[in-house]
Amino acid sequence: ALKALRERLAGILSRARRLAMAAERSGRSSTPYLQQKRRDAVAAFWRAVPADCFECGGYSPRARRDGPTKMFLDPVPKTYQKKNENNDKVLTSILSSAVDRSTSSRLLYPHEAREHMKELYKREHHALEALMPLATTGGISCRIANRAENGYKVFFCSTLLVPPNKFRPMQFVGGEVTDHAQNALFKKLLDIDQTLQKLSDLKMYLLNQVAREQDQDAKISTK
């Protein structure tokens, strides 16, 4: 059954690659016909993907999108949790070795989503290139060296282009000199970025502390 499923997924990916190549040859990557065929191939792929992992047989939390700017990580259903326990599968955080015991949905932060995509690209970059040809085949990631290691970066913005100072001059409002509106937004971005960095460092420290305490408890229990 596993062999048949792998062959089915390989067939779907092959179809997606052929569609991408056809679009590249025609020079028209956004025709309605090709768009619909790509959507059909992607939908067929996700319907065929099993709930458990091909590599280890474990079950992981599912990510879901809530609107255009938020993603949430749903806990593993109780049925799958029991299967994980029966097969000695332990879920750990992508950011540390701490055990993930989440029982409710939680916000999936960008830096955590980036680590998930990084690991996914290491193992499945060929499949992702077939499923998302606009982002990979002939697109931005073609200019990225070593797509297996760095292809995930196409989905994240870590650098913001800032217009030169002459396009952000001081303004005079009511006889008073005020900063340009863009400068105020950029300052807010810098403040938010520094705050997030501090929170991320604090979270990593706490997660590592929890992991060390769990290791110590495990060593004590085995003595």
Side-chain angles (χ1 to χ4, degrees):
L2 182 59
K3 182 179 179 181
L5 180 58
R6 287 182 181 274
E7 291 176 353
R8 182 182 176 189
L9 292 175
I12 295 172
L13 292 176
S14 177
R15 185 175 23 155
R17 289 192 184 95
R18 289 197 301 270
L19 288 170
M21 292 173 63
E24 188 174 356
R25 286 195 300 268
S26 66
R28 299 177 62 188
S29 60
S30 60
T31 62
Y33 174 79
L34 289 176
Q35 285 182 347
Q36 185 58 47
K37 288 298 182 181
R38 286 173 182 164
R39 284 194 288 266
D40 293 343
V42 172
F45 177 84
W46 287 118
R47 285 195 300 268
V49 172
D52 58 333
C53 176
F54 267 127
E55 300 292 335
C56 67
Y59 296 86
S60 299
R62 291 281 183 173
R64 61 178 173 86
R65 188 178 65 181
D66 185 4
T69 59
K70 292 182 180 180
M71 291 189 68
F72 287 85
L73 204 62
D74 292 332
V76 179
K78 292 183 178 180
T79 304
Y80 293 155
Q81 287 181 9
K82 292 180 180 178
K83 291 183 178 180
N84 281 342
E85 293 173 359
N86 294 336
N87 296 324
D88 296 328
K89 304 298 181 183
V90 179
L91 295 178
T92 58
S93 171
I94 191 70
L95 300 174
S96 70
S97 58
V99 178
D100 188 354
R101 294 190 174 90
S102 301
T103 58
S104 60
S105 299
R106 62 178 181 83
L107 189 65
L108 183 64
Y109 293 98
H111 67 287
E112 187 177 2
R114 183 176 57 203
E115 292 301 317
H116 281 286
M117 289 297 294
K118 183 178 180 180
E119 293 298 321
L120 183 61
Y121 255 86
K122 286 181 181 179
R123 294 168 170 79
E124 304 292 348
H125 70 279
H126 293 297
L128 294 172
E129 288 175 2
L131 292 173
M132 296 177 288
L134 292 180
T136 53
T137 305
I140 300 173
S141 69
C142 284
R143 299 191 294 270
I144 297 177
N146 192 3
R147 291 205 295 268
E149 296 290 335
N150 302 311
Y152 71 96
K153 294 180 180 179
V154 71
F155 300 101
F156 299 91
C157 178
S158 57
T159 304
L160 186 66
L161 293 177
V162 178
N165 292 337
K166 66 179 181 179
F167 297 109
R168 297 179 284 112
M170 303 296 289
Q171 296 178 332
F172 294 90
V173 179
E176 296 182 357
V177 179
T178 61
D179 205 357
H180 195 275
Q182 288 189 18
N183 291 342
L185 293 175
F186 291 142
K187 287 177 64 177
K188 285 184 178 179
L189 285 174
L190 289 174
D191 293 339
I192 292 172
D193 181 70
Q194 292 175 358
T195 302
L196 288 175
Q197 186 61 47
K198 291 178 180 178
L199 291 174
S200 178
D201 294 341
L202 177 60
K203 182 178 179 181
M204 287 293 295
Y205 172 78
L206 294 175
L207 288 173
N208 290 330
Q209 285 289 103
V210 171
R212 281 195 291 267
E213 292 177 0
Q214 289 176 348
D215 291 339
Q216 290 177 356
D217 293 341
K219 291 179 181 178
I220 293 173
S221 62
T222 56
K223 291 183 180 179

